[in-house]
Amino acid sequence: DENAWYHEYVEYVFVNNIMTGLTDTIFGVDDKLSRAQFATTLYRIEGKPAVTYSEKFKDVPDGLFYTNPVMWASADGVNVISGYENGNFGPDDKLT
């Protein structure tokens, strides 16, 4: 909705490839953000720094849209998101 208070902000993150939305026509403004989506957003804001894949988390395989963002966000020196004690990252878990 072009009259919604958030329209200009959604447009900004979309145009600047920070967030892409759920589909080509649905952004999901009322949806909760997953840990994978959050890591991806921060990773894109930082300019998609180079990362090396490792099997750091049992539930983060190589080659998914959030693999590099999770590797970056949980790396030493960055560490904005950590995994769980059970060895998982929980990419689909929602932020609270």
Side-chain angles (χ1 to χ4, degrees):
D1 179 3
E2 291 185 11
N3 296 316
W5 67 267
Y6 52 77
H7 182 269
E8 69 181 289
Y9 306 108
V10 170
E11 183 175 34
Y12 176 86
V13 297
F14 181 76
V15 167
N16 289 286
N17 199 30
I18 296 170
M19 301 177 90
T20 59
L22 302 174
T23 70
D24 289 341
T25 58
I26 298 174
F27 188 77
V29 294
D30 293 321
D31 293 358
K32 291 184 178 180
L33 200 63
S34 73
R35 290 169 53 87
Q37 292 168 321
F38 182 63
T40 301
T41 301
L42 296 177
Y43 178 72
R44 289 175 178 166
I45 289 170
E46 287 298 311
K48 300 181 184 179
V51 297
T52 301
Y53 176 75
S54 70
E55 294 180 351
K56 184 173 187 174
F57 302 110
K58 296 183 285 188
D59 58 349
V60 180
D62 196 11
L64 299 178
F65 82 88
Y66 58 82
T67 302
N68 285 346
V70 168
M71 294 294 109
W72 169 81
S74 64
D76 292 338
V78 179
N79 202 28
V80 293
I81 306 175
S82 58
Y84 296 116
E85 290 180 13
N86 66 2
N88 289 327
F89 181 77
D92 294 325
D93 293 353
K94 304 301 181 193
L95 297 178
T96 59

